[in-house]
Amino acid sequence: MKAVTVETMRKMDETAIHTYGIPSTVLMEHAAMAVCGYFLAHIEKSKHVLIVCGPGNNGGDGFALARLLVQEGYTHVQLHCCVDYGHMSLDEAVFAKVANSYQIPCSHSEERKDIEQLIQDADIIVDALFGTGLSRTISGFYDRLILQINLADKMVISIDIASGIHGNSGQIMGCAIQADITLTFESYKLGQILYPGSAYSGKIIPLSIQMPKAIEQMAEGLLVLEDDLVKTLLPQRSSHSHKGTYGKALMIGGSKEMHGAVTMAAKAALRSGIGTLTLFVPDCITLLLASKLEESMIIGAASEDGFFAHDAITALKRILSQYDMIIIGNGMGRNEAGKELVRTVLESDRPCILDGDALYETGKITAALQRPYPTILTPHVKEMSYLSGHSIKDIQQDPIAVLKEFLRKYPFSTVALKDAHTIIANSQQMYLNLAGNHALAKGGSGDVLCGILAGLFGQSKDALTSAACAVYVHALTADLLLQDEDANSILPNDLIASLSETYQILREEE
Ligand SMILES: NC(=O)C1=CN([C@@H]2O[C@H](COP(=O)(O)OP(=O)(O)OC[C@H]3O[C@@H](n4cnc5c(N)ncnc54)[C@H](OP(=O)(O)O)[C@@H]3O)[C@@H](O)[C@H]2O)[C@@H](O)CC1
Ligand SMILES: [K+]
């Protein structure tokens, strides 16, 4: 499954229609059948269903759905149509006439109180106002209608995309339906993944409308991470292997006040298959870490006021080349010595992972990212702002454009841009993660992700796939924990303790 732009979705529709010769009304019927299938599985036939139809094919889906629901035995189906036949798209008019011939009640009133009554009588409102064809700010009658629906506090199911969200940017075009569920066709639309569109979409459920498989495979878009895909990307372990096979990693970080960050990153790396792990930490926390981590080696470097001191740089230069990969940043804090440690790593030829404070320091020396060696960065939006020079608002509005620009500048980099929906990208390809939940919004969660990434990268040596897998494993672990525990109480250490279960699930054969 991919997340695509409106233009790509339109091209996919056109290919199905013109190259494969599938009539557009057949696609619309398939769309309505898919939505009807959702109703049959989740919604009782006695519920009062109000379907509000706009002027385009999204409205056509609504009319086609009305007929199917009635045919399946739904007893209270009511349509509200916002335009007359003359102002409908051709396909919508076809299905509007069919619904009419079934004598499904259809209101056309623009009177506020009439619509209010329909809304009050409904248990479920189906939003078929606008789909991917929304082209301008919503105003007038539609604006009032959307407000009335939002205020009614009924269950709202949006067809394809919550009306009012711009399908590419996720911006709200004046106003938007606040959906509980969005049943989206064939591919996710970028706008429903990006903020603020994602906040209006409710739970997004993709449904197939039986397009030829090759169309989606060829389409340009972000690949959405799912169990089946991650199973194919996850590094395999071989029975003929030894610790050297799975990476010799050096993890640089920690400080007197943030030793927990490097500890959790280390534990997650160890539980994600790294071959050997050596920690390089300020010497004031060496003993503390030694008492918490038995499986890793620990090198204490010069410290000052609880952070790395300048002499740590010379020590690092002496040992750096002995390792296959470097991880730097977790709990390191921000000081001049830390910045020079980051520079030392970036000026070496070692593949590296930059996390936490190392991302902040890298923001001051971005030219060093032009290195021709694998470099994985795991910024959240604020850290991406340091790295890219773009404002947080710009990044949230168009993360894909910011990522593309960044990766054009630093083509050996791989970025996991962390947000509610993390995007993982290199200059060739992008993945999108939709798994995970708010239990992850806690200090230390990012360190666990970094550790998972280190473990997987040590095994696969492939920056993009290990970053994609790490993000998904981290998120899926939180989702699995949420089945039995409350989000308040799920801690980063619980994620580490549950990693084995997640890996087992992802290694299961179909
Ligand atoms: N193609 C296919 O094969 C399939 C497509 N499918 C379905 O079709 C949907 C896309 O259909 P669509 O392209 O007709 O767009 P949609 O959003 O329904 O309406 C566009 C209309 O709205 C109007 N309009 C726009 N903005 C406005 C505003 N602010 N205020 C007022 N009016 C506004 C616009 O006017 P115009 O810009 O032309 O002046 C035009 O009349 C897609 O999301 C999916 O649900 C499925 O059936 C599967 C097969
Ligand atoms: K809609």
Side-chain angles (χ1 to χ4, degrees):
M1 183 78 49
K2 284 183 179 154
V4 303
T5 61
V6 165
E7 292 73 26
T8 300
M9 194 64 229
R10 211 166 283 143
K11 262 192 227 154
M12 290 165 69
D13 288 340
E14 277 164 17
T15 310
I17 295 164
H18 300 299
T19 310
Y20 287 83
I22 303 172
S24 56
T25 45
V26 169
L27 290 177
M28 194 172 275
E29 177 77 355
H30 284 171
M33 283 165 70
V35 176
C36 184
Y38 178 86
F39 266 76
L40 289 170
H42 297 97
I43 294 173
E44 288 165 32
K45 293 183 176 174
S46 58
K47 294 284 184 199
H48 290 240
V49 182
L50 170 64
I51 306 174
V52 287
C53 299
N57 288 339
N58 195 254
D61 297 341
F63 279 109
L65 171 67
R67 183 190 101 251
L68 294 177
L69 289 181
V70 167
Q71 207 148 279
E72 289 291 349
Y74 282 81
T75 46
H76 299 94
V77 179
Q78 167 76 46
L79 283 156
H80 178 76
C81 182
C82 301
V83 287
D84 54 35
Y85 285 124
H87 292 91
M88 289 179 181
S89 71
L90 290 176
D91 290 347
E92 181 180 31
V94 168
F95 285 99
K97 284 176 187 159
V98 174
N100 187 41
S101 74
Y102 272 63
Q103 297 178 340
I104 300 171
C106 183
S107 130
H108 292 271
S109 170
E110 288 206 2
E111 287 297 320
R112 185 190 290 258
K113 63 177 180 355
D114 295 342
I115 297 171
E116 195 60 52
Q117 194 56 52
L118 292 177
I119 292 174
Q120 287 314 322
D121 292 345
D123 297 309
I124 289 146
I125 299 172
V126 177
D127 153 34
L129 286 172
F130 300 108
T132 49
L134 182 72
S135 55
R136 54 189 180 275
T137 302
I138 295 175
S139 60
F141 167 76
Y142 290 114
D143 178 61
R144 286 200 305 279
L145 176 59
I146 288 175
L147 184 67
Q148 277 177 290
I149 292 173
N150 286 349
L151 287 175
D153 202 22
K154 301 279 175 165
M155 182 186 188
V156 179
I157 299 180
S158 285
I159 295 192
D160 206 20
I161 183 163
S163 300
I165 298 176
H166 189 282
N168 288 349
S169 68
Q171 293 308 298
I172 304 307
M173 307 288 278
C175 63
I177 289 281
Q178 179 69 63
D180 295 290
I181 289 167
T182 298
L183 300 175
T184 200
F185 300 135
E186 217 55 42
S187 299
Y188 293 93
K189 316 300 176 290
L190 280 177
Q192 60 199 182
I193 305 303
L194 300 176
Y195 186 80
S198 57
Y200 283 78
S201 303
K203 185 172 165 44
I204 307 167
I205 302 174
L207 299 175
S208 165
I209 61 168
Q210 312 299 332
M211 267 192 195
K213 293 242 179 307
I215 295 182
E216 208 228 356
Q217 279 161 8
M218 310 259 295
E220 212 177 282
L222 278 69
L223 267 174
V224 176
L225 294 168
E226 293 160 318
D227 282 11
D228 287 351
L229 174 60
V230 175
K231 281 179 184 184
T232 66
L233 303 178
L234 205 62
Q236 300 299 317
R237 294 178 75 88
S238 147
S239 46
H240 299 285
S241 60
H242 54 87
K243 63 186 179 190
T245 316
Y246 302 119
K248 187 177 177 194
L250 181 71
M251 182 177 278
I252 305 165
S255 56
K256 195 171 167 194
E257 287 176 6
M258 291 183 287
H259 48 83
V262 74
T263 311
M264 285 187 284
K267 283 186 187 169
L270 290 163
R271 288 215 183 265
S272 294
I274 193 71
T276 70
L277 181 67
T278 302
L279 300 187
F280 184 91
V281 298
D283 53 14
C284 57
I285 59 168
T286 316
L287 282 179
L288 184 62
L289 291 194
S291 69
K292 296 200 276 188
L293 293 162
E294 291 184 334
E295 292 88 351
S296 51
M297 288 149 279
I298 304 181
I299 298 173
S303 69
E304 191 178 8
D305 301 331
F307 298 98
F308 282 115
H310 206 77
D311 284 353
I313 300 156
T314 326
L316 179 64
K317 283 182 178 163
R318 261 202 310 270
I319 60 165
L320 204 58
S321 61
Q322 298 168 21
Y323 298 90
D324 300 340
M325 56 183 277
I326 316 295
I327 305 111
I328 180 164
N330 308 89
M332 184 173 74
R334 298 172 182 186
N335 69 356
E336 193 56 27
K339 186 181 87 186
E340 291 310 312
L341 288 172
V342 173
R343 191 195 299 278
T344 303
V345 172
L346 288 175
E347 286 178 355
S348 78
D349 61 356
R350 301 288 92 179
C352 68
I353 299 172
L354 306 173
D355 193 60
D357 295 319
L359 294 164
Y360 171 80
E361 301 296 359
T362 305
K364 299 180 194 159
I365 50 169
T366 46
L369 284 173
Q370 260 142 7
R371 66 201 298 264
Y373 310 106
T375 308
I376 311 178
L377 304 98
T378 57
H380 52 57
V381 175
K382 193 169 173 196
E383 288 162 341
M384 192 64 197
S385 168
Y386 306 142
L387 291 165
S388 66
H390 286 282
S391 68
I392 291 178
K393 189 163 168 252
D394 283 354
I395 298 167
Q396 280 176 328
Q397 267 181 7
D398 201 344
I400 293 166
V402 171
L403 276 169
K404 280 187 176 164
E405 182 193 271
F406 185 85
L407 292 164
R408 263 195 305 275
K409 257 190 192 165
Y410 311 116
F412 284 81
S413 291
T414 296
V415 182
L417 177 55
K418 297 186 291 197
D419 207 345
H421 298 144
T422 296
I423 301 173
I424 306 99
N426 69 7
S427 54
Q428 309 295 315
Q429 197 169 357
M430 288 196 184
Y431 291 101
L432 175 68
N433 176 55
L434 300 177
N437 60 69
H438 47 90
L440 292 173
K442 288 190 183 140
S445 168
D447 299 303
V448 174
L449 171 63
C450 178
I452 298 171
L453 169 56
L456 298 180
F457 182 56
Q459 294 174 78
S460 75
K461 328 286 185 222
D462 184 290
L464 182 69
T465 56
S466 54
C469 288
V471 168
Y472 189 73
V473 164
H474 184 245
L476 181 60
T477 306
D479 285 345
L480 293 171
L481 281 169
L482 197 63
Q483 290 173 4
D484 299 319
E485 290 175 42
D486 189 82
N488 279 347
S489 314
I490 298 171
L491 297 180
N493 267 319
D494 299 331
L495 298 173
I496 298 169
S498 297
L499 281 173
S500 175
E501 197 184 323
T502 308
Y503 288 123
Q504 275 181 325
I505 288 172
L506 292 174
R507 290 205 200 281
E508 269 166 20
E509 303 278 328
E510 283 305 298

